[in-house]
Amino acid sequence: MAAIQEAEGPGFSALPEGCIAKVVSLTSPADACRLATLSPDFKSACDSDVVWTSFLPPERPQTVSRSVSSLKGLYFSLCDDPVLIGDGKMSYSLDRHSGKKCIMLSARALSITWGDTPIYWSWTCLPNSRFAEVAKLIDVCWLEIRGMISPGMLSPETHYAAYLVFKITPASHGFEFQPVEVEARFAGDEAGKREHSVYLSRENNNTHGWQSWQRFRHAGGSLMLASAEGSGNYPKERRDGWSEIELGEFLTKEGQDGEVEMSVMETKGGNWKAGLVVEGIEIRPKDGK
């Protein structure tokens, strides 16, 4: 990047547009956008399909059919507007910074214990969800959500993280003081087992939270809130109006076998839980890497 900027001048700008485009295609989407501001010649080269075809994954879903005028337009369309794949049970998009693949498994693509039992879970549609259905927890004492994805659906040589995408309703209970156990790792990789505790709710000081704690205490649970304070294991707000919590991270490699397993569990406390709305699990590059 710096070398290109230093070389920019009458001699370098006089190179054929195709040569400039070839050099830029060896950088990154972010670099291409920055280089496009150097001069009109650079902008023309940096916006060309020669550059952006190198940033788009060679294998794209057959459903990708966008009315865009250029591959650059297609790239940013896939960054900003995920495509539904797998009979609408998954979505495909690109990481804006790196161009790496991002996949989201909908709640219907996950294994939810008692998910098809109406007294425990219900299925509904929400206007701000990318999927046709989301799962709403009515009341359970055994929370178990699992998902799996093949590394072949993701970009190779990439540091990924998995995130539960969800909402907590105002009438929720059971999540204020009780953490859940989460994990993401390759199946059978005992050495990479890194299960840890997170909280799905930050509401722990209101009257409803106190009532939930009383139920939890009488059920024989142990209060673990103090140990998690300050650990950062709390939900973050997303730009799409949902919340997310990281489940774990893993590295994909070229030609890698096996499946990545992801889980969200709370089966030890015995307290009843309600008001969790699950959109799905998103797998995307960790910090754009």
Side-chain angles (χ1 to χ4, degrees), residues 37-65:
T37 65
L38 294 181
S39 72
D41 290 331
F42 266 84
K43 178 171 175 52
S44 179
C46 292
D47 289 349
S48 71
D49 285 353
V50 172
V51 169
W52 291 91
T53 193
S54 68
F55 300 147
L56 285 163
E59 60 290 323
R60 297 190 291 275
Q62 295 296 317
T63 53
V64 173
S65 179

Side-chain angles (χ1 to χ4, degrees), residues 13-282:
S13 295
L15 287 173
E17 181 179 304
C19 292
I20 298 175
K22 180 62 177 177
V23 173
V24 175
S25 71
L26 301 176
T27 61
S28 70
D31 286 336
C33 290
R34 286 191 288 265
L35 288 167
T37 65
L38 294 181
S39 72
D41 290 331
F42 266 84
K43 178 171 175 52
S44 179
C46 292
D47 289 349
S48 71
D49 285 353
V50 172
V51 169
W52 291 91
T53 193
S54 68
F55 300 147
L56 285 163
E59 60 290 323
R60 297 190 291 275
Q62 295 296 317
T63 53
V64 173
S65 179
R66 300 282 173 86
S67 55
V68 292
S69 58
S70 66
L71 291 184
K72 180 181 179 180
L74 175 61
Y75 177 91
F76 285 109
S77 175
L78 290 173
C79 293
D80 299 333
D81 189 12
V83 177
L84 293 183
I85 60 175
D87 296 325
K89 294 181 180 179
M90 295 184 283
S91 72
Y92 170 101
S93 60
L94 299 179
D95 177 75
R96 194 177 188 88
H97 177 79
S98 66
K100 301 296 182 73
K101 299 176 192 174
C102 306
I103 300 292
M104 186 167 175
L105 308 178
S106 72
R108 278 295 186 190
L110 305 176
S111 172
I112 302 177
T113 298
W114 296 321
D116 291 323
T117 306
I119 62 172
Y120 298 126
W121 289 86
S122 66
W123 294 86
T124 186
C125 59
L126 291 180
N128 68 337
S129 174
R130 68 184 67 179
F131 300 114
E133 289 182 299
V134 297
K136 183 177 181 180
L137 175 58
I138 297 174
D139 217 12
V140 296
C141 62
W142 183 288
L143 177 68
E144 183 174 356
I145 302 171
R146 296 183 180 274
M148 296 184 71
I149 189 170
S150 166
M153 295 189 67
L154 305 170
S155 298
E157 309 301 329
T158 303
H159 184 193
Y160 274 98
Y163 302 84
L164 178 71
V165 181
F166 67 98
K167 288 179 182 287
I168 291 291
T169 69
S172 69
H173 65 77
F175 294 105
E176 300 88 347
F177 298 99
Q178 177 66 57
V180 299
E181 302 297 317
V182 300
E183 188 177 34
R185 64 185 175 97
F186 278 93
D189 180 16
E190 292 301 318
K193 190 169 184 176
R194 290 184 293 273
E195 187 178 75
H196 62 284
S197 299
V198 299
Y199 285 86
L200 299 185
S201 174
R202 287 181 175 273
E203 301 298 324
N204 49 41
N205 293 318
N206 56 26
T207 301
H208 190 74
W210 172 256
Q211 293 170 345
S212 296
W213 178 76
Q214 290 286 0
R215 285 196 296 270
F216 174 50
R217 181 171 64 86
H218 289 306
S222 59
L223 192 63
M224 298 175 62
L225 182 63
S227 64
E229 282 291 353
S231 67
N233 293 334
Y234 286 92
K236 294 182 180 179
E237 294 299 314
R238 293 163 53 98
R239 288 180 297 175
D240 59 9
W242 292 80
S243 297
E244 68 177 26
I245 192 81
E246 184 178 319
L247 307 183
E249 53 192 77
F250 56 92
L251 177 67
T252 57
K253 298 180 180 179
E254 192 74 51
Q256 195 166 26
D257 295 325
E259 302 279 315
V260 177
E261 297 180 335
M262 300 154 288
S263 62
V264 178
M265 307 273 292
E266 203 299 287
T267 60
K268 301 174 182 177
N271 61 310
W272 287 82
K273 297 164 280 290
L276 172 68
V277 181
V278 178
E279 184 178 35
I281 293 179
E282 183 174 51

